[in-house]
Amino acid sequence: MALHNEAKIGEIAKVVLMPGDPLRAKYIAENFLENYKLVSSVRNIYAYTGKYKGKEISVMASGMGMPSMGIYCYELYKFYGVESIIRIGSCGAYKPDLDLLDVVLIEKSYTEGNFAKAMTGIECHSVNADKELNDLIENTAKENNMKCIRANIACTEYFDPYLDDPQALAKRLPDEENILGSEMEAFALFFTAKQLNKKASALITVADSNYKKESITVEQRQEALNEMIKLALESAIKL
């Protein structure tokens, strides 16, 4: 029984999009889904189910950080029969390879944290997204003339912009992991999916960078996020 989701069995689709922000979930439902319904609002973590181009899709917030993502994605996979989750969010760039507003498809997530050990006793700090799902998303991007960059991203336990020295964190990450940026949820999603034999992927938009000094307007940010949402939805209808 799910302790953090009040949706009835059958009210959650097999494919779920997961932004961090509950209001982002609400925005997606209102602007992209037809005949959508709010199916859960426990702790104001909104979950909606509706249709996109005739395909039933759910969108549910994950909250911020690995512990929060770990709870919600576990319940979706374990209790609601969800097969695939696509996270949609934002990241910061650690290297100049990424430009502001680039859409990144996470190939592998690395963390210094102990989410895996806490969940299973397994010492694990690096986990891949589902290759089949990533390939599908990449091909969908090409079909729709969308730019999509596959990259390895760190999953941190602290919001980088609040660190006294964000570069100190970036510099201590293993060189062999070839990490281009950071976010806060993907490792928990990928690791949980693998433990439960499910599929998981993550699309993230570059929201800030120490290497890019140009400013981003509210309109530019919204347009970039909409493109990422559309890519996730266009991929979801193929599952």
Side-chain angles (χ1 to χ4, degrees):
M1 180 181 70
L3 299 177
H4 307 87
N5 192 324
E6 62 191 354
K8 297 179 177 66
I9 300 301
E11 288 187 328
I12 301 286
K14 298 297 183 183
V15 182
V16 178
L17 271 57
M18 290 196 84
D21 184 358
L23 293 181
R24 182 68 60 190
K26 183 174 185 286
Y27 173 85
I28 294 170
E30 292 177 344
N31 290 275
F32 292 90
L33 299 184
E34 296 180 347
N35 302 318
Y36 65 87
K37 176 185 176 183
L38 178 66
V39 295
S40 182
S41 59
V42 176
R43 298 188 180 217
N44 285 331
I45 293 292
Y46 301 141
Y48 297 87
T49 297
K51 289 191 175 182
Y52 179 77
K53 295 186 176 180
K55 169 84 170 183
E56 187 174 67
I57 302 288
S58 290
V59 54
M60 181 176 181
S62 70
M64 289 189 287
M66 287 188 279
S68 186
M69 169 61 87
I71 289 171
Y72 293 112
C73 74
Y74 179 89
E75 291 185 347
L76 289 173
Y77 286 137
K78 185 73 173 181
F79 303 118
Y80 289 97
V82 171
E83 294 296 332
S84 302
I85 294 176
I86 303 174
R87 161 165 158 67
I88 46 178
S90 61
C91 72
Y94 281 169
K95 296 183 179 180
D97 307 58
L98 296 179
D99 289 324
L100 292 173
L101 301 182
D102 275 348
V103 174
V104 176
L105 177 62
I106 299 181
E107 185 80 9
K108 180 166 63 174
S109 179
Y110 173 86
T111 184
E112 294 182 314
N114 289 307
F115 179 90
K117 188 173 183 179
M119 181 182 182
T120 65
I122 297 170
E123 193 76 37
C124 175
H125 296 278
S126 183
V127 62
N128 286 80
D130 183 83
K131 184 181 185 302
E132 182 180 353
L133 184 49
N134 267 16
D135 287 347
L136 183 149
I137 293 172
E138 185 176 52
N139 289 334
T140 301
K142 291 176 181 177
E143 291 169 6
N144 289 274
N145 296 314
M146 297 176 178
K147 182 182 178 183
C148 180
I149 302 167
R150 289 174 86 141
N152 297 341
I153 299 292
C155 189
T156 63
E157 295 182 294
Y158 193 81
F159 188 49
D160 292 9
Y162 292 167
L163 291 171
D164 291 334
D165 184 5
Q167 285 301 307
L169 169 60
K171 288 176 182 177
R172 73 172 182 256
L173 297 173
D175 290 339
E176 63 270 21
E177 295 291 342
N178 191 28
I179 294 165
L180 299 189
S182 71
E183 52 86 66
M184 300 182 72
E185 290 82 33
F187 182 92
L189 173 61
F190 295 173
F191 189 81
T192 301
K194 286 192 179 296
Q195 292 303 305
L196 298 176
N197 294 313
K198 304 288 187 172
K199 295 181 179 181
S201 189
L203 283 166
I204 50 177
T205 297
V206 179
D208 59 82
S209 171
N210 292 325
Y211 298 93
K212 310 296 178 180
K213 302 304 181 184
E214 68 264 34
S215 60
I216 302 172
T217 66
V218 173
E219 291 77 13
Q220 285 176 314
R221 182 183 176 89
Q222 189 61 58
E223 183 179 347
L225 290 173
N226 282 345
E227 181 166 305
M228 177 179 63
I229 292 165
K230 183 180 177 183
L231 175 56
L233 287 166
E234 290 293 327
S235 301
I237 61 177
K238 298 178 179 180
L239 294 168

